[in-house]
Amino acid sequence: MNRRMAVWTACMLCTAHAAAGQDTYRQTVVVTAAATPAELGTVTRSVTVITHDQIAALPLPSIADVLRLASSIDVRARGERGVQTDFSLRGAGFGQLLVLVDGTRINDAQSGHHNGDIPVPLDLIERVEIMYGPGSSLFGADAFGGTINVITRHGAAPVMTVGGGSFESAQVRGQVSAERGSLTQAIGGSFDRSGGFIEGRDFTSAMVQSRTGVGASTSVSVAYLWKEFGARNFYGATSTGDAFSREWTNQTLVSADHAFGAAAGWTLKGNASYRTHGDRFQFTPGAASSIHRTHEVLGTFSASRGIPHGGTVTFGGDGGSTWIRSNNLGDHTVQRISGFGEWRQPAGARTQFDASLRVDEYSEFGSSWNPSAGVSWWATPRLRLRGSGGHAFRVPTFTERYYSDRNHLARPDVGPEQSWAGEAAVDIFPGADWLVQVTGFARSDHDVIDWLCSDRLCGTPAATDRWHTYNVRDVDTTGAEVSVRRTFANGAFAQAGYTGLVVKAPEITQMSKYVLDYTPRSFAAAGLLPVAGGVRLAPRVEVRRRVRSTGTSDYMLLDVRVSRRFGQIYELAVDGTNLLDVEYQEVTGVPMPGAGVAVQLRVGRQ
């Protein structure tokens, strides 16, 4: 991190009057780091919580941009407003991160490139919980680097936002809610479009979500997301120049939760969900389209109860089916059934133990056993030490098993990836309004999937071989995270985080299609600062170093929001993005937009 970034962050952390408010860290309840909701002060895993108020205050036009607040998440966008985005956490690949909406998995079985299709409008996000490290003992496949859980709102005051700006962009979004007796209803939606900052990079997207609550025990959510976008060079250029590709995706997610109440001391809960994702891709204008549709049906049941000395145990199981219908990948179906258990036990007022185990049995891949364990200890009221470790796995996508074209031939017998990981951390509370966290972590991945070819001319017309998928790589990752956050009495806040990674993989004799591509150094900072005349300043800074086969690149992005409320219901905001007009690429061969500006008017009470 360079000198001016250190000075800028120090100024953010120290210029406002500190609050004397109480420390809410211990009482904050999270739902992602345990089988049942748990207070953050008892959780042994590293967890970041991004709240609705933070999202509303900062220049964050999409969920992909929200995730940039965490320095350990590498957001690899192919355009504005997260039109298509891959996520990487702690150096894991984009398919090695689990994405949930209210605990329901939305990772797509066709390709990890679709995991960023999150069908939740910004106004309906209550918070985003990021759990770091292996999560397969709680959630099953894919949680190598971590788990992202988008928690939706049950109800809030009506709000509408309209705006527009550079690159012929426009946005409308809002939400309303109502309550009558035991019935609550919240519905929100958004519409975004852009003419594109260059030819072939335009997009249009729309989404809507409805959440219905019946008393305190039942909720039903229905969400739909649709996108059409220019995908110029997203997956490589043609032999004669740019590929003006185009893609259409859509996703429908239906889920229902029900608390059955208590029986013989056990609290019983259930969840059912159905998700379908459609993808149509055209490599060049006029070319035949690849058309894919995946479906997934899941059901979960769990039972929890208290045990002596303040502990809890949870047991449960789930099962479901995933299938694809595709003119390229074919028609395939995979079923699974799982069982899991968790034990959480305090030892006195300062120590917490937990352990969990999950077994997944797949019709195509056999079984996977995934244990985890953790401990935390409050050495003093302002110092907590903790550590955790566990096993994770990922099953291959249908693309990795069945994709075929003139340059590729996937192998159906490619198998799951495996990983062991652990972390040790210290949480420091210099004052009631401060939080400092320092974490060291390590992960060892085995049987990582890669595309290999024996011909050095692979991908060209002269090649005598095609790319094939193999479980070939063993990847070792070590790293450290440091984060600082301070809140203030007037609602202001400042936060900064730094992540350093070292990723090692053995060399292979064949050509590798997916070389190591990661960010060994990442810095992210943001804040909300009141200034004169009721104006609020909300900057966001992101500094990345990228390592690729073509070399190392460094860049810094600066976004700033300037906003002011007028009366009780109106707020005018001006967002400047990439104000330093940096030329950069988060995905090789796909340039990102330069400097831009957008103006938005928000109507609604805070």
Side-chain angles (χ1 to χ4, degrees):
M1 181 175 64
N2 60 35
R3 184 185 180 95
R4 62 177 173 173
M5 281 295 94
V7 172
W8 181 88
T9 303
C11 290
M12 286 185 64
L13 292 171
C14 299
T15 52
H17 176 68
Q22 67 181 40
D23 177 10
T24 60
Y25 179 84
R26 288 177 180 261
Q27 290 77 36
T28 299
V29 175
V30 295
V31 299
T32 311
T36 57
E39 292 183 353
L40 194 53
T42 68
V43 170
T44 64
R45 308 286 293 272
S46 292
V47 178
T48 294
V49 179
I50 303 172
T51 66
H52 174 83
D53 290 343
Q54 290 174 267
I55 295 171
L58 294 167
L60 305 171
S62 70
I63 293 181
D65 296 297
V66 171
L67 296 175
R68 295 179 186 274
L69 296 177
S71 64
S72 288
I73 295 185
D74 183 12
V75 179
R76 303 177 186 176
R78 291 176 171 83
E80 308 163 67
R81 301 179 184 270
V83 63
Q84 188 181 62
T85 306
D86 297 334
F87 306 125
S88 172
L89 182 51
R90 286 184 172 177
F94 66 85
Q96 298 173 330
L97 173 69
L98 179 62
V99 182
L100 310 171
V101 172
D102 291 323
T104 298
R105 61 185 300 125
I106 65 169
N107 280 38
D108 190 64
Q110 176 207 334
S111 171
H113 290 309
H114 300 317
N115 296 345
D117 284 355
I118 303 175
V120 182
L122 282 179
D123 292 316
L124 279 185
I125 297 177
E126 179 65 30
R127 66 189 185 277
V128 178
E129 295 182 1
I130 304 165
M131 184 183 75
Y132 301 83
S136 291
S137 66
L138 295 172
F139 303 110
D142 303 334
F144 267 47
T147 303
I148 296 169
N149 194 4
V150 180
I151 312 298
T152 61
R153 311 195 84 182
H154 289 264
V159 63
M160 173 172 284
T161 302
V162 296
S166 300
F167 318 126
E168 302 176 12
S169 65
Q171 180 186 60
V172 179
R173 73 174 196 261
Q175 73 95 31
V176 295
S177 60
E179 181 176 350
R180 184 169 184 178
S182 63
L183 188 67
T184 61
Q185 177 67 55
I187 186 169
S190 66
F191 174 85
D192 285 90
R193 70 164 305 279
S194 170
F197 67 101
I198 57 174
E199 184 183 2
R201 298 290 293 279
D202 61 294
F203 75 89
T204 303
S205 69
M207 72 176 81
V208 62
Q209 184 188 42
S210 169
R211 179 163 182 156
T212 305
V214 182
S217 60
T218 304
S219 67
V220 178
S221 176
V222 180
Y224 178 76
L225 168 64
W226 175 87
K227 294 181 180 180
E228 176 186 356
F229 49 93
R232 180 178 177 180
N233 295 341
F234 278 17
Y235 304 102
T238 68
S239 59
T240 58
D242 288 357
F244 285 86
S245 305
R246 197 154 194 88
E247 193 159 6
W248 298 258
T249 67
N250 63 84
Q251 180 161 243
T252 301
L253 176 65
V254 181
S255 63
D257 297 276
H258 182 69
F260 294 95
W266 292 87
T267 299
L268 310 178
K269 296 181 180 180
N271 169 271
S273 66
Y274 167 72
R275 186 190 64 84
T276 180
H277 186 280
D279 174 36
R280 175 189 168 199
F281 176 72
Q282 191 175 54
F283 186 64
T284 55
S289 296
S290 295
I291 301 174
H292 321 278
R293 178 160 292 280
T294 56
H295 305 265
E296 186 167 44
V297 175
L298 297 173
T300 303
F301 181 83
S302 66
S304 304
R305 69 172 299 162
I307 58 177
H309 309 294
T312 60
V313 292
T314 301
F315 296 100
D318 64 24
S321 180
T322 303
W323 64 97
I324 188 170
R325 301 295 180 260
S326 167
N327 66 350
N328 178 281
L329 305 177
D331 299 345
H332 307 279
T333 302
V334 176
Q335 291 97 20
R336 71 167 173 85
I337 187 170
S338 310
F340 56 87
E342 181 190 63
W343 166 73
R344 291 176 52 80
Q345 184 69 57
R350 301 195 300 174
T351 305
Q352 176 76 40
F353 296 95
D354 62 49
S356 57
L357 174 66
R358 179 183 173 107
V359 182
D360 291 86
E361 180 72 28
Y362 279 81
S363 59
E364 300 285 316
F365 310 112
S367 60
S368 179
W369 293 68
N370 297 279
S372 70
V375 59
S376 73
W377 175 53
W378 287 89
T380 74
R382 297 194 181 276
L383 177 66
R384 183 168 75 129
L385 306 177
R386 54 185 171 81
S388 63
H391 184 265
F393 77 108
R394 182 181 82 90
V395 297
T397 63
F398 288 122
T399 296
E400 291 167 324
R401 299 180 67 201
Y402 301 112
Y403 185 77
S404 175
D405 64 20
R406 58 178 293 180
N407 295 318
H408 302 81
L409 183 60
R411 299 170 62 250
D413 59 347
V414 70
E417 302 174 339
Q418 308 289 335
S419 176
W420 284 97
E423 67 176 18
V426 55
D427 303 327
I428 307 168
F429 303 85
D433 47 3
W434 283 87
L435 172 59
V436 179
Q437 294 181 299
V438 180
T439 306
F441 59 88
R443 188 179 67 254
S444 181
D445 303 339
H446 304 284
D447 299 325
V448 176
I449 299 170
D450 201 353
W451 293 80
L452 304 179
C453 183
S454 61
D455 189 343
R456 304 299 297 181
L457 298 176
C458 215
T460 71
T464 59
D465 193 11
R466 290 190 281 181
W467 297 103
H468 303 273
T469 46
Y470 294 92
N471 294 99
V472 66
R473 286 206 185 268
D474 288 342
V475 181
D476 294 325
T477 303
T478 56
E481 300 158 337
V482 180
S483 65
V484 182
R485 178 174 173 82
R486 188 180 184 185
T487 57
F488 302 94
N490 54 7
F493 66 89
Q495 62 187 47
Y498 173 81
T499 300
L501 293 172
V502 176
V503 179
K504 296 181 179 180
E507 294 185 0
I508 53 178
T509 57
Q510 292 180 294
M511 287 186 64
S512 169
K513 187 176 181 65
Y514 292 114
V515 298
L516 294 177
D517 182 350
Y518 68 102
T519 53
R521 305 289 181 268
S522 302
F523 172 78
L528 176 63
L529 306 175
V531 295
V535 175
R536 301 196 304 176
L537 187 67
R540 187 192 70 84
V541 174
E542 183 178 352
V543 181
R544 300 278 182 182
R545 165 167 289 184
R546 292 195 175 276
V547 174
R548 296 188 172 113
S549 60
T550 55
T552 300
S553 62
D554 298 278
Y555 58 86
M556 181 175 72
L557 305 178
L558 172 63
D559 299 344
V560 176
R561 167 172 291 181
V562 181
S563 63
R564 189 183 189 280
R565 291 195 66 85
F566 297 89
Q568 297 295 314
I569 63 173
Y570 298 102
E571 182 179 56
L572 182 65
V574 179
D575 290 352
T577 56
N578 191 8
L579 291 178
L580 303 179
D581 201 26
V582 175
E583 294 183 3
Y584 69 105
Q585 297 180 5
E586 295 182 331
V587 175
T588 303
V590 184
M592 292 292 286
V597 64
V599 179
Q600 67 177 38
L601 175 65
R602 183 178 185 271
V603 182
R605 296 184 181 275
Q606 286 185 322

